[in-house]
Amino acid sequence: LSTATGAYTLSGGMAEETNQTYTATQQDQSGVYVTDGGVLTLNNVTVNTSGETSSADGSSFYGLNAGILAVESTITVNGGTITTSGSGANGAFATGEGSVVSLSDVTITATGDGGHGVMATLGGEVNLTNVNMTTSGAHSAPIATDRGSGTVNATGGSLLTTGTDSPCYYSTGVLNITNSTCTADGSEAAVIEGANSINLVDSNLTVNVPNKWGVMIYQSFSGDAEGTEGIFTMQGGALTYTDETSPLFYVNNS
């Protein structure tokens, strides 16, 4: 992340911001960037970013140009909006052991290819309460993990994804989802790669794209996830695939 910058940057220490707007327009620039064990609380903030990424892997693995980025640090957001439009621009990102991003009553919109709603990698953790997300780019799952595993815990909220290969939930780690609503118009509803998991409780998933499948469990051998025993669990709720000719579950190399 040698090229990463932030419209607002906190390196270590503690800070709290309220009713602020952060706008990032440059390449590899985040709206909010916290590093070196910093602890930041944001209340009712607006984050807008439009900068492109210089590295797709840098964005997917380490959060380069994410709207809100915590690197081995803690960010808490209470209310507000996060909007990103650049390629690779995830909404909120936690990377590294000890990194925690917690969002409550936040709306996230990501429109660029590779722009996930929230993402956790390399042992990072994301906690969501009543967070609504919309993504429209390819490879842009609203809730995702990537290289090195991560954990996302979500309660409430609705997800809409329309991009190609953009499921509501993409796990190379652990996703725990409760009382969530998911609509996938361009991909599966849920995908697990490697020996990882998605755990759903009282959640409703609907898949509308034809000639695909509802849930995929696989191993791509790309190096993003180890192992071949993916686990999908669902208690309560509903799993609906509107294409009556395609399988509800697809398992490959796993």
Side-chain angles (χ1 to χ4, degrees), residues 10-30:
L10 178 67
S11 180
M14 300 180 65
E16 183 168 354
E17 299 280 322
T18 300
N19 297 328
Q20 298 296 311
T21 297
Y22 307 103
T23 301
T25 60
Q26 301 174 20
Q27 179 177 274
D28 295 346
Q29 186 179 39
S30 292

Side-chain angles (χ1 to χ4, degrees), residues 30-125:
S30 292
V32 175
Y33 181 30
V34 181
T35 64
D36 298 324
V39 178
L40 176 64
T41 300
L42 301 173
N43 303 305
N44 193 35
V45 297
T46 300
V47 178
N48 297 306
T49 76
S50 57
E52 304 291 331
T53 183
S54 64
S55 168
D57 284 349
S59 292
S60 189
F61 300 160
Y62 310 111
L64 190 64
N65 84 318
I68 289 178
L69 173 59
V71 179
E72 297 179 353
S73 300
T74 300
I75 301 176
T76 301
V77 184
N78 302 306
T81 61
I82 303 170
T83 304
T84 69
S85 60
S87 61
N90 300 285
F93 204 105
T95 185
E97 294 291 342
S99 275
V100 179
V101 172
S102 299
L103 310 177
S104 299
D105 300 315
V106 174
T107 298
I108 298 176
T109 303
T111 57
D113 286 357
H116 302 81
V118 299
M119 210 164 191
T121 65
L122 300 172
E125 178 178 323

